[in-house]
Amino acid sequence: MPNLQILVDGQELTADWTEENAGTRDAITAALPLEGDASRWGEELYFRTGIDVDQETTQTEVPVGSVAYWPQENAICIFWGPTPASLDQEPRAAAPVAVVATVEDISPLSEIQGGATIRIGAV
């Protein structure tokens, strides 16, 4: 059973928490539900939150379907393909992010044309 329900402009996604970055995951869980108007950067959506948590394990190259916290901007990011920082087809963040969850099926994100409204809640 998934841990998170993510709505992106009416497209429903589900995600499972990863085992890494437990402190970041706990801070996000405490702040749920989260909602915001996202910006798009290549095949990444991100929106700023009121979450401010100490940096844990971060990386710039992330797996497809990653849900991550961007500590530099206090933002949540969803990656499903290359971004302007990518060297090939892998998703790559502009700055290090802490991966906290993985979206099970990213195919609905291919329909997103620009920014989007995102709502994240617990299942």
Side-chain angles (χ1 to χ4, degrees):
M1 173 171 231
N3 304 114
L4 295 171
Q5 178 186 48
I6 304 171
L7 294 174
V8 180
D9 277 352
Q11 300 288 330
E12 187 173 329
L13 309 170
T14 56
D16 292 311
W17 292 117
T18 62
E19 292 186 20
E20 59 193 351
N21 299 311
T24 303
R25 182 181 63 235
D26 291 347
I28 292 170
T29 299
L32 293 177
L34 293 168
E35 186 169 341
D37 292 326
S39 297
R40 183 170 176 168
W41 193 60
E43 294 187 5
E44 171 196 349
L45 290 172
Y46 65 93
F47 69 99
R48 288 181 174 78
T49 70
I51 299 168
D52 187 11
V53 64
D54 290 335
Q55 186 167 309
E56 292 187 278
T57 304
T58 59
Q59 59 201 67
T60 53
E61 189 172 325
V62 299
V64 170
S66 291
V67 178
Y69 173 73
W70 181 15
Q72 183 177 338
E73 296 292 326
N74 298 346
I76 300 293
C77 311
I78 302 172
F79 297 89
W80 70 94
T83 68
S86 294
L87 302 176
D88 48 41
Q89 295 302 303
E90 91 289 354
R92 184 177 292 268
V97 296
V99 175
V100 294
T102 304
V103 173
E104 294 175 356
D105 177 13
I106 59 159
S107 61
L109 294 172
S110 65
E111 303 295 320
I112 304 300
Q113 297 299 312
T117 299
I118 298 178
R119 185 173 196 289
I120 301 175
V123 174

